[in-house]
Amino acid sequence: MLNCTMQNKKISIVTVTKNSEVNIEKSINSFLSQNYINKELIIIDGLSSDNTLKIINKYKKNVSKIISEKDDGVYAALNKGFKFVSGDVVGILHSDDYYYDNNSLTNVMNSFNNNNLSLAHTNVEIIYKKFSRKFRSSINFNDIDFSKGRMPPHPGIFFKKKILELIGSFDLKFNFASDLDFIIRCFKEIPKEEIKYLDFFSVVMKSGGKSTSNIFNIFKQNIECMNVLKKNNIKFSKFDFILSKIVDRIRQIK
């Protein structure tokens, strides 16, 4: 674990939110309670109509940037937030999510401060409606994993700011699978020796969202995932892809 004198690199966390009055305070407090000192939080609010912005403003002295305006969805809001990051390392914490413990960012930055890394991916705990499941990332994600629509959950991924200059941000052509596209581009463009799997849990994230809100959106997400694979020249079998998605859904409800 890092001590204060070793905390060199700065980490920027981007949180996007809209009408999240139930969870946003817990999310902000989980960031503020992190033992790692050299950090900043950027919050992009999609013009909430509930008390979300009122809650956020309670912490405005501890938040580097707060923007509340209409946006074109989560990925567009994240891209907006990326423009304001000043840290060496970037992470994403959604408004329904929170850090696993007070050492989460310290543990992440320990690797960035002491290794030549461009990207690190960690384990995450995923909360479903009636249960939680701990997702352990894989040491080496590759085209076989991606061809089945599998990837490290993006809230558990941390990357150097320079990566945004190398590969760009989220592709807004994809409404449901832009995170898969972004992660594939990262793994393709970043040298393998600069990517590291960190075997600890960093984030507790809530399952769901627009992509899984109904059968129609799940269908559209799967179509987008296959289009992402085509865009990134990853060979895949439609049968294997669909089968893996069914298996993943069954595992989620066990």
Short mmCIF file of all heavy atoms in Angstrom, two decimals, residues 10 13 28 36 98 104 106 108 115 121 168 170 193 208 224 226 228 247 254:
data_model
loop_
_atom_site.label_atom_id
_atom_site.label_comp_id
_atom_site.label_asym_id
_atom_site.label_seq_id
_atom_site.Cartn_x
_atom_site.Cartn_y
_atom_site.Cartn_z
N LYS A 10 -1.65 11.64 -10.33
CA LYS A 10 -3.01 12.06 -9.99
C LYS A 10 -4.02 11.21 -10.74
O LYS A 10 -3.83 10.88 -11.92
CB LYS A 10 -3.18 13.54 -10.36
CG LYS A 10 -4.54 14.12 -10.02
CD LYS A 10 -4.57 15.60 -10.39
CE LYS A 10 -5.90 16.26 -10.05
NZ LYS A 10 -5.91 17.70 -10.42
N ILE A 13 -11.50 10.90 -11.64
CA ILE A 13 -12.66 10.03 -11.72
C ILE A 13 -13.82 10.82 -12.33
O ILE A 13 -14.13 11.93 -11.90
CB ILE A 13 -13.07 9.50 -10.33
CG1 ILE A 13 -11.91 8.73 -9.70
CG2 ILE A 13 -14.32 8.64 -10.43
CD1 ILE A 13 -11.44 7.52 -10.49
N ILE A 28 -20.54 9.63 -4.17
CA ILE A 28 -19.60 10.73 -3.90
C ILE A 28 -18.80 10.46 -2.63
O ILE A 28 -17.58 10.64 -2.60
CB ILE A 28 -20.36 12.07 -3.77
CG1 ILE A 28 -20.96 12.47 -5.12
CG2 ILE A 28 -19.43 13.18 -3.26
CD1 ILE A 28 -21.87 13.68 -5.05
N TYR A 36 -6.34 7.56 -1.01
CA TYR A 36 -5.42 8.18 -1.97
C TYR A 36 -5.73 9.67 -2.05
O TYR A 36 -6.87 10.07 -2.30
CB TYR A 36 -5.56 7.52 -3.34
CG TYR A 36 -4.40 7.83 -4.26
CD1 TYR A 36 -3.20 7.15 -4.14
CD2 TYR A 36 -4.51 8.81 -5.24
CE1 TYR A 36 -2.13 7.44 -4.97
CE2 TYR A 36 -3.46 9.10 -6.09
CZ TYR A 36 -2.27 8.40 -5.94
OH TYR A 36 -1.20 8.69 -6.77
N TYR A 98 -20.13 2.44 -6.20
CA TYR A 98 -19.27 2.95 -5.14
C TYR A 98 -18.04 2.08 -5.03
O TYR A 98 -18.01 0.94 -5.54
CB TYR A 98 -20.02 3.04 -3.80
CG TYR A 98 -20.69 1.75 -3.37
CD1 TYR A 98 -20.05 0.82 -2.55
CD2 TYR A 98 -21.99 1.45 -3.78
CE1 TYR A 98 -20.67 -0.36 -2.16
CE2 TYR A 98 -22.62 0.28 -3.38
CZ TYR A 98 -21.96 -0.63 -2.58
OH TYR A 98 -22.58 -1.79 -2.20
N SER A 104 -9.34 1.36 -2.41
CA SER A 104 -9.48 0.98 -3.83
C SER A 104 -8.57 1.78 -4.74
O SER A 104 -7.81 1.23 -5.55
CB SER A 104 -10.93 1.13 -4.27
OG SER A 104 -11.76 0.19 -3.65
N THR A 106 -6.02 3.69 -3.88
CA THR A 106 -4.62 3.51 -3.47
C THR A 106 -4.05 2.25 -4.10
O THR A 106 -2.93 2.25 -4.62
CB THR A 106 -4.53 3.40 -1.94
OG1 THR A 106 -4.95 4.63 -1.36
CG2 THR A 106 -3.09 3.13 -1.50
N VAL A 108 -5.05 0.74 -6.82
CA VAL A 108 -4.91 0.94 -8.26
C VAL A 108 -3.68 1.78 -8.56
O VAL A 108 -2.84 1.42 -9.40
CB VAL A 108 -6.17 1.63 -8.84
CG1 VAL A 108 -5.92 2.12 -10.27
CG2 VAL A 108 -7.36 0.68 -8.81
N ASN A 115 4.89 1.02 -11.84
CA ASN A 115 5.06 0.22 -13.06
C ASN A 115 4.81 1.09 -14.28
O ASN A 115 4.13 2.12 -14.21
CB ASN A 115 4.08 -0.96 -13.07
CG ASN A 115 4.31 -1.93 -11.93
OD1 ASN A 115 5.18 -2.78 -11.97
ND2 ASN A 115 3.50 -1.78 -10.88
N HIS A 121 -6.93 -3.42 -15.21
CA HIS A 121 -8.32 -3.83 -15.01
C HIS A 121 -8.42 -4.69 -13.75
O HIS A 121 -7.54 -5.50 -13.45
CB HIS A 121 -8.89 -4.56 -16.23
CG HIS A 121 -8.09 -5.72 -16.73
ND1 HIS A 121 -8.50 -7.03 -16.61
CD2 HIS A 121 -6.90 -5.76 -17.38
CE1 HIS A 121 -7.62 -7.83 -17.16
NE2 HIS A 121 -6.62 -7.09 -17.63
N GLY A 168 -8.83 7.77 -28.92
CA GLY A 168 -10.08 8.52 -28.89
C GLY A 168 -10.95 8.06 -27.74
O GLY A 168 -10.58 7.18 -26.96
N PHE A 170 -15.29 7.41 -26.38
CA PHE A 170 -16.36 6.49 -26.75
C PHE A 170 -16.95 6.87 -28.11
O PHE A 170 -17.21 8.05 -28.39
CB PHE A 170 -17.46 6.49 -25.69
CG PHE A 170 -17.06 5.82 -24.41
CD1 PHE A 170 -16.76 6.56 -23.29
CD2 PHE A 170 -16.96 4.44 -24.34
CE1 PHE A 170 -16.39 5.95 -22.10
CE2 PHE A 170 -16.60 3.81 -23.17
CZ PHE A 170 -16.30 4.56 -22.04
N GLU A 193 2.51 -5.45 -22.56
CA GLU A 193 3.29 -5.28 -21.34
C GLU A 193 2.86 -4.05 -20.55
O GLU A 193 3.27 -3.87 -19.39
CB GLU A 193 4.78 -5.21 -21.65
CG GLU A 193 5.22 -4.05 -22.53
CD GLU A 193 5.16 -4.35 -24.01
OE1 GLU A 193 4.50 -5.36 -24.40
OE2 GLU A 193 5.77 -3.60 -24.78
N GLY A 208 -27.73 -3.48 -14.69
CA GLY A 208 -28.91 -2.90 -15.32
C GLY A 208 -28.55 -1.73 -16.19
O GLY A 208 -27.45 -1.64 -16.73
N GLU A 224 -25.53 -4.56 -31.69
CA GLU A 224 -24.44 -3.57 -31.65
C GLU A 224 -23.11 -4.22 -31.31
O GLU A 224 -22.08 -3.86 -31.87
CB GLU A 224 -24.76 -2.47 -30.63
CG GLU A 224 -25.60 -1.35 -31.19
CD GLU A 224 -25.46 -0.05 -30.40
OE1 GLU A 224 -24.62 0.00 -29.47
OE2 GLU A 224 -26.20 0.90 -30.71
N MET A 226 -22.11 -7.19 -32.01
CA MET A 226 -21.60 -7.86 -33.20
C MET A 226 -21.08 -6.85 -34.22
O MET A 226 -20.08 -7.09 -34.89
CB MET A 226 -22.69 -8.76 -33.81
CG MET A 226 -22.95 -10.01 -32.97
SD MET A 226 -24.06 -11.22 -33.74
CE MET A 226 -25.66 -10.51 -33.28
N VAL A 228 -19.73 -4.01 -33.39
CA VAL A 228 -18.46 -3.58 -32.81
C VAL A 228 -17.35 -4.57 -33.19
O VAL A 228 -16.23 -4.17 -33.55
CB VAL A 228 -18.56 -3.46 -31.28
CG1 VAL A 228 -17.17 -3.39 -30.64
CG2 VAL A 228 -19.36 -2.23 -30.90
N VAL A 247 -25.65 -18.25 -21.80
CA VAL A 247 -24.95 -18.86 -20.66
C VAL A 247 -24.66 -17.79 -19.60
O VAL A 247 -24.85 -18.03 -18.40
CB VAL A 247 -23.64 -19.52 -21.12
CG1 VAL A 247 -22.79 -19.93 -19.91
CG2 VAL A 247 -23.94 -20.74 -21.98
N LYS A 254 -28.45 -17.50 -11.26
CA LYS A 254 -28.28 -18.65 -10.36
C LYS A 254 -28.13 -18.20 -8.93
O LYS A 254 -27.52 -17.18 -8.67
CB LYS A 254 -27.05 -19.46 -10.79
CG LYS A 254 -27.33 -20.38 -11.97
CD LYS A 254 -26.13 -21.24 -12.26
CE LYS A 254 -26.40 -22.24 -13.38
NZ LYS A 254 -25.23 -23.09 -13.67
#
